[in-house]
Amino acid sequence: ASVASGVDERLYPVAVLIDELRHDDIHLRLNSIKKLGTIATALGPERTREELMPFLQEIIDDDDEVLIALAEALRHGIS
């Protein structure tokens, strides 16, 4: 199910990024990972900690390019 469908229009761009984190297309996942800071800012510190971080743990795959991009994003802080 898409996060973006039925979401408040102010949060729609963030919802699209979250949907892209689950996408089969590696380029869409990489694009969204590079924008984790945007997602975290929109969610706020509490929701980032309680929702985004567990979500990232669930969707982590073993594609090296995705894992490296995620590690870089986390190294620089996502919020």
Side-chain angles (χ1 to χ4, degrees):
S2 171
V3 174
S5 63
V7 75
D8 181 317
E9 67 181 53
R10 293 172 295 146
L11 294 177
Y12 184 79
V14 172
V16 169
L17 291 173
I18 291 171
D19 281 344
E20 288 179 357
L21 284 170
R22 297 186 226 189
H23 204 280
D24 290 336
D25 183 334
I26 189 172
H27 295 97
L28 290 176
R29 289 195 319 266
L30 287 170
N31 176 60
S32 196
I33 285 171
K34 290 175 184 175
K35 296 182 178 166
L36 281 176
T38 301
I39 296 170
T41 298
L43 292 175
E46 185 175 331
R47 287 188 70 196
T48 295
R49 188 173 44 257
E50 294 177 6
E51 297 174 35
L52 181 60
M53 295 308 292
F55 173 76
L56 291 173
Q57 288 176 325
E58 288 176 17
I59 63 152
I60 288 181
D61 57 25
D62 38 331
D63 188 306
D64 289 345
E65 195 172 358
V66 172
L67 293 174
I68 290 168
L70 181 57
E72 281 294 313
L74 293 173
R75 183 173 73 100
H76 295 294
I78 60 170
S79 56

